[in-house]
């Protein structure tokens, strides 16, 4: 099935650094979601975006819905150890039990 | 948002056998979604389970290999049949929230190892 292209594939940063990752698609979505997955757990929703051009924050996290509806960005400021994990973007065409299409994931590692 | 309980959390199975995974939601939902996450990979939708009708399978997944039951609005099962080592993955169930702001909620997953 289709997957969204997510980059970078992995990141190694020091605590306190800012993080940026993005997700691109060949087709448009009307909803973009960002999830974080910890080992042994299912993905947990971080931020949801519904409008092209929208910029939304959740604490140290900021995400943007690209104006073309084909991309989205997630930024994490001042990273802390608990930010370690895998981040997935997901696109949805319409709300109402329509499936999600997931990105390939970005693995974030914090170097002590 | 909904709370999902998934069982078992992990299992090690012999090839050729079958495993049934259970997903229980604390509220009634129309659709339940089953995903597979192969080692180091992203999530891929297997099928959508609607109560009262047959599940809808994504390309590459068939009912004989992944039969699904949906007996009521809070419960579903996914069976992985005639397992081979290639079936070793994390299997997750998911439901959509009541509003757009809730996105989809996922169970904690079933980590399956086939030996």
């Amino acid at each position: 099935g289709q997957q969204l292209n997510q980059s970078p594939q992995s990141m190694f940063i020091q605590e306190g650094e800012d993080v940026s990752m993005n997700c691109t698609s060949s087709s448009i979505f009307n909803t973009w979601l960002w999830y974080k997955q910890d080992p042994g757990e299912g993905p947990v929703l971080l931020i949801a975006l519904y409008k092209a051009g929208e910029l939304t924050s959740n604490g140290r996290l900021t995400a943007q819905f690209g104006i073309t509806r084909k991309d989205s960005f997630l930024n994490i400021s001042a990273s802390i150890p608990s930010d370690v994990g895998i981040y997935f973007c997901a696109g949805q065409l319409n709300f109402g039990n329509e499936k999600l299409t997931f990105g390939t994931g970005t693995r974030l590692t914090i170097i002590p | 948002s909904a709370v999902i309980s998934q069982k078992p959390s992990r299992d090690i199975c012999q090839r050729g056998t079958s495993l049934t995974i259970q997903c229980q939601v604390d509220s009634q939902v129309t659709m339940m979604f089953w995903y597979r996450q192969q080692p180091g990979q992203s999530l891929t939708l297997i099928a959508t389970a609607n109560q009262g009708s047959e599940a809808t399978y994504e390309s590459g997944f068939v009912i004989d290999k992944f039969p699904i039951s949906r007996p009521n609005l809070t419960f579903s099962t996914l069976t992985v049949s005639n397992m081979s080592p290639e079936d070793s993955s994390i299997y997750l169930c998911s439901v959509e929230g009541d509003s757009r702001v809730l996105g989809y909620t996922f169970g904690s997953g079933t980590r399956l190892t086939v030996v």
Side-chain angles (χ1 to χ4, degrees):
Chain A
Q2 179 192 7
Q3 278 193 340
L4 306 178
N5 295 315
Q6 195 171 335
S7 65
Q9 187 174 24
S10 60
M11 301 183 73
F12 296 85
I13 63 168
Q14 292 192 322
E15 184 176 349
E17 287 187 18
D18 297 342
V19 172
S20 292
M21 60 189 78
N22 68 73
C23 194
T24 59
S25 170
S26 58
S27 55
I28 66 168
F29 289 102
N30 293 316
T31 298
W32 283 91
L33 306 170
W34 284 93
Y35 285 87
K36 178 175 183 273
Q37 186 176 28
D38 292 327
E41 299 292 329
V44 174
L45 183 66
L46 299 174
I47 290 183
L49 303 155
Y50 311 109
K51 188 176 177 182
E54 177 183 6
L55 188 71
T56 297
S57 294
N58 178 9
R60 294 178 296 106
L61 277 61
T62 302
Q64 183 158 27
F65 190 147
I67 197 72
T68 65
R69 298 179 182 266
K70 293 183 178 181
D71 57 8
S72 181
F73 304 86
L74 176 70
N75 296 315
I76 306 172
S77 62
S79 58
I80 60 177
S82 61
D83 291 334
V84 167
I86 304 176
Y87 292 79
F88 291 102
C89 62
Q92 185 185 32
L93 194 55
N94 294 299
F95 177 74
N97 287 308
E98 282 204 12
K99 65 179 183 180
L100 299 181
T101 300
F102 276 85
T104 47
T106 296
R107 181 181 295 273
L108 179 63
T109 302
I110 295 183
I111 306 167
Chain B
S1 57
V3 176
I4 299 176
S5 300
Q6 198 172 328
K7 294 192 293 188
S9 58
R10 58 178 62 228
D11 208 341
I12 301 174
C13 300
Q14 296 290 325
R15 68 175 67 202
T17 63
S18 298
L19 176 72
T20 295
I21 301 167
Q22 300 180 5
C23 183
Q24 178 77 52
V25 188
D26 69 342
S27 58
Q28 294 184 341
V29 294
T30 306
M31 301 281 200
M32 296 178 76
F33 301 83
W34 286 98
Y35 286 84
R36 181 177 73 182
Q37 186 176 25
Q38 294 176 299
Q41 302 295 314
S42 184
L43 283 77
T44 301
L45 181 66
I46 298 171
T48 302
N50 192 1
Q51 195 266 336
S53 62
E54 274 202 2
T56 302
Y57 289 83
E58 296 296 302
S59 175
F61 298 96
V62 295
I63 188 171
D64 290 345
K65 177 66 176 178
F66 297 102
I68 287 172
S69 79
R70 183 79 204 276
N72 57 53
L73 291 173
T74 63
F75 187 79
S76 179
T77 67
L78 170 76
T79 298
V80 186
S81 303
N82 188 25
M83 290 183 284
S84 66
E86 292 70 36
D87 294 320
S88 298
S89 296
I90 300 172
Y91 293 86
L92 300 120
C93 68
S94 175
V95 301
E96 189 177 38
D98 291 336
S99 68
R100 294 177 79 187
V101 298
L102 297 175
Y104 278 72
T105 301
F106 287 83
S108 55
T110 297
R111 183 179 294 273
L112 171 62
T113 303
V114 183
V115 298

